[in-house]
């Protein structure tokens, strides 16, 4: 007897495709491999990507162009930390004129909810919104989450609990469902993306999903999921993901 794997039908109105990617290797990643305590150094404030990170960004840019992914993405959402914005613009931005950007590149918006784990480490503290705007004039910083000029989310005393990252993930996913775009790229951080996926796989009947989908991201790794909102009429429902 042949048993087929269960298949499901969903309206495209209830689905979004999310392309989740971690930033290119950061200078703080390099220093942490030598000594984890280096992450406490103020010299690593809002760490940029490294030379290897730039090469990873260039390689991913080639991939999204060669596969046609760039043409399908309606929106890019990035963490407002330097390394993620460098990655977002490096992968999805234009190498040419402003007109080239408008015609060939998806809009990029910054959102505080998808930034790195908060607290303690200066590498995870962001710059002022004014400085971010001057560095990345093509990124939209007008969302309500970016209203605070200075970084009032980061705190020096302790690291953000993982359950708080998942709570951020729930709020971020709810925000995504308010957006009209159907295919969205999210440029964020390894631990944050991992915990956002923990939220998405909450009702999966397949135990292999967590193993295959929710493993830690490598630098500049791209992972795509279809997110199904099975309860769009229920504001408390958390959507689930399939790979």
């Amino acid at each position: 007897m042949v048993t087929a794997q269960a298949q499901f039908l969903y309206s495209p109105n209830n689905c979004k495709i999310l392309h989740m990617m971690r930033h290119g290797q950061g200078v703080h990643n390099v220093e942490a491999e030598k000594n984890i305590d280096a992450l406490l150094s103020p010299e690593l404030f809002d760490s940029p990507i490294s030379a290897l990170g730039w090469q990873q960004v260039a390689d991913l840019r080639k991939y999204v162009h060669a596969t046609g992914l760039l043409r399908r993405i309606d929106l890019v959402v990035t963490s407002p930390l330097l390394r993620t914005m460098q990655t977002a613009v490096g992968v999805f931005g234009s190498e040419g004129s402003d007109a080239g950007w408008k015609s060939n590149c998806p809009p990029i918006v910054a959102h505080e909810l998808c930034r790195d784990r908060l607290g303690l480490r200066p590498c995870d503290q962001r710059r002022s919104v004014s400085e971010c705007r001057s560095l990345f004039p093509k990124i939209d910083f007008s969302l309500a989450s970016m209203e605070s000029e200075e970084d009032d989310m980061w705190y020096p005393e302790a690291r953000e609990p993982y359950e708080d990252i998942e709570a951020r993930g729930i709020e971020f996913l709810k925000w995504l469902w308010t957006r009209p775009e159907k295919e969205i790229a999210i440029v964020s951080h390894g631990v944050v993306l991992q915990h956002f996926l923990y939220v998405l796989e909450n009702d999966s009947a397949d135990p292999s999903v967590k193993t295959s989908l929710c493993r830690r991201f490598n630098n500049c790794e791209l992972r795509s999921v279809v997110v199904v909102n099975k309860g769009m009429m229920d504001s408390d429902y958390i959507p689930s993901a399939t790979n």
Side-chain angles (χ1 to χ4, degrees), residues 5 16 28 121 127-128 131 141 157 163 197 219:
Q5 185 177 1
K16 289 186 186 293
H28 69 300
R121 296 173 177 173
R127 299 158 194 265
S128 69
E131 185 176 358
F141 295 94
E157 296 83 11
E163 54 266 30
L197 285 171
N219 287 119

Side-chain angles (χ1 to χ4, degrees), residues 94 96-105 138:
S94 173
S97 65
D98 288 353
W101 178 286
K102 293 175 182 177
S103 62
N104 299 321
C105 304
K138 298 300 184 183

Side-chain angles (χ1 to χ4, degrees), residues 14-129:
N14 293 4
C15 301
K16 289 186 186 293
I17 300 174
L18 303 183
H19 303 283
M20 309 175 84
M21 65 186 68
R22 184 185 177 192
H23 59 80
Q25 183 195 61
V27 171
H28 69 300
N29 296 138
V30 177
E31 296 304 316
E33 290 178 0
K34 304 173 188 175
N35 179 6
I36 192 67
D37 290 337
L39 296 177
L40 300 175
S41 171
E43 294 181 2
L44 292 177
F45 168 77
D46 195 12
S47 180
I49 60 177
S50 66
L52 175 58
W54 282 116
Q55 183 58 57
Q56 292 168 335
V57 167
D59 291 343
L60 187 54
R61 180 184 179 86
K62 291 176 184 177
Y63 173 82
V64 301
H65 278 261
T67 60
L69 180 59
L70 181 71
R71 295 191 299 274
R72 302 201 309 269
I73 290 176
D74 304 310
L75 177 70
V76 178
V77 185
T78 181
S79 154
L81 295 187
L82 181 59
R83 54 192 177 272
T84 40
M85 294 190 294
Q86 287 175 324
T87 301
V89 172
V91 172
F92 298 106
S94 173
E95 292 180 328
S97 65
D98 288 353
W101 178 286
K102 293 175 182 177
S103 62
N104 299 321
C105 304
I108 304 177
V109 299
H111 203 305
E112 291 272 45
L113 287 177
C114 66
R115 60 183 290 182
D116 210 347
R117 189 181 180 189
L118 300 168
L120 196 60
R121 296 173 177 173
C123 58
D124 301 327
Q125 187 176 10
R126 75 158 167 81
R127 299 158 194 265
S128 69
V129 173

Side-chain angles (χ1 to χ4, degrees), residues 120-174:
L120 196 60
R121 296 173 177 173
C123 58
D124 301 327
Q125 187 176 10
R126 75 158 167 81
R127 299 158 194 265
S128 69
V129 173
S130 296
E131 185 176 358
C132 290
R133 281 198 175 103
S134 68
L135 290 171
F136 300 97
K138 298 300 184 183
I139 295 180
D140 181 356
F141 295 94
S142 66
L143 292 179
S145 74
M146 300 300 304
E147 284 182 349
S148 176
E149 171 69 11
E150 302 301 330
D151 187 358
D152 59 4
M153 292 181 66
W154 185 89
Y155 39 86
E157 296 83 11
R159 294 290 277 163
E160 180 182 21
Y162 290 125
E163 54 266 30
D164 288 2
I165 297 177
E166 293 185 15
R168 276 204 278 139
I170 291 171
E171 293 307 309
F172 181 68
L173 291 166
K174 287 180 178 179

